[in-house]
Amino acid sequence: MKYVIMADGKGNRWSNYLGTPKHLASIEGEKIIARTVRLLNQIIDDDDSVVVTSHNKDYEFEGANRYEPIDNQLEIDRFTNELIARDVCFLYGDTFYTEDALNRIHEEPTEDVVFFGNHKSIVGVKIKAPDVFRYHIQKIKNMYIDGKIKVCKGWQVYASLTNQCCNREIEIKEKFVEIHDITTDINTPEEYEKVRQQI
């Protein structure tokens, strides 16, 4: 399995809080993304690998290779097209993961595509059938470009995969493993401070 940690976003809602990108903000003295890399390397097999997608050279971490995506225009492009393959798992660079959550993601089997998260956020996508995932990514991109939907990110891909309307409230159905702990994405300073208080 290749674990791809997506960290090439713009971080607009973070507003340069603490004078650093959100992925590099520290929790308990460790950068958020470095923590994810470390925890992954404790559970992955010898044949597995960890990649961090970023154009920023500050995103070099021991235990991971940095990769600069070719195309990164829309939010949905964070799922780096050229890295979508069989046995790939996309994780988020701005997410605080518990050890239990990463273990659950690592161990969960899938026949095609499975999402991980909760009603608030998606925290991972594990892929066994790259053509299925690519199809839904492209479908959502086309709908967004054609003005049929206003948002173009992971939730819309999940809606498409589960035959839901992308313009309505998206229901958690099949192909989704719920993570019920403090694992959460961090988009704003408020979310960051909330996670720090929960640790």
Side-chain angles (χ1 to χ4, degrees), residues 98-163:
T98 64
E99 293 180 51
D100 286 345
L102 287 175
N103 272 303
R104 179 75 188 273
I105 292 168
H106 178 65
E107 293 169 4
E108 186 69 27
T110 179
E111 294 180 2
D112 49 15
V113 180
V114 65
F115 285 70
F116 299 85
N118 51 51
H119 286 85
K120 177 184 175 285
S121 58
I122 292 169
V123 299
V125 183
K126 199 170 190 178
I127 301 162
K128 280 281 187 182
D131 290 346
V132 171
F133 192 62
R134 273 202 195 91
Y135 168 81
H136 292 288
I137 290 272
Q138 193 58 53
K139 178 181 171 184
I140 294 303
K141 282 181 80 167
N142 291 344
M143 290 174 70
Y144 181 78
I145 291 166
D146 292 343
K148 294 178 180 174
I149 57 175
K150 294 182 179 179
V151 182
C152 178
K153 54 186 180 180
W155 279 113
Q156 283 64 46
V157 179
Y158 176 72
S160 177
L161 180 70
T162 53
N163 298 310

Side-chain angles (χ1 to χ4, degrees), residues 61-87:
F61 300 98
E62 184 178 346
N65 294 313
R66 185 175 62 87
Y67 178 83
E68 297 186 2
I70 294 170
D71 182 26
N72 189 11
Q73 302 302 310
L74 304 175
E75 186 167 349
I76 203 169
D77 293 329
R78 306 301 184 266
F79 297 109
T80 310
N81 185 59
E82 62 271 23
L83 297 182
I84 297 172
R86 183 175 174 81
D87 294 326

Side-chain angles (χ1 to χ4, degrees), residues 33-34 36-38 41 50 52 59-65:
I33 195 168
T36 303
V37 170
R38 176 180 61 80
N41 276 284
V50 180
V52 174
Y59 285 57
E60 301 273 357
F61 300 98
E62 184 178 346
N65 294 313

Side-chain angles (χ1 to χ4, degrees), residues 46 63 73 77 88-89 95 136 160 177 195:
D46 291 341
Q73 302 302 310
D77 293 329
V88 164
C89 181
T95 293
H136 292 288
S160 177
V177 175
V195 169

Side-chain angles (χ1 to χ4, degrees), residues 13-14 17 22 27 32 94-96 120-121 182 184-199:
R13 289 178 284 176
W14 181 250
Y17 185 58
K22 59 185 175 179
I27 293 180
I32 294 169
D94 61 358
T95 293
F96 177 85
K120 177 184 175 285
S121 58
I182 61 170
T184 186
D185 59 345
I186 298 172
N187 291 305
T188 66
E190 294 77 20
E191 290 171 339
Y192 169 74
E193 294 299 343
K194 184 178 179 182
V195 169
R196 289 183 66 203
Q197 290 168 10
Q198 289 177 311
I199 302 303

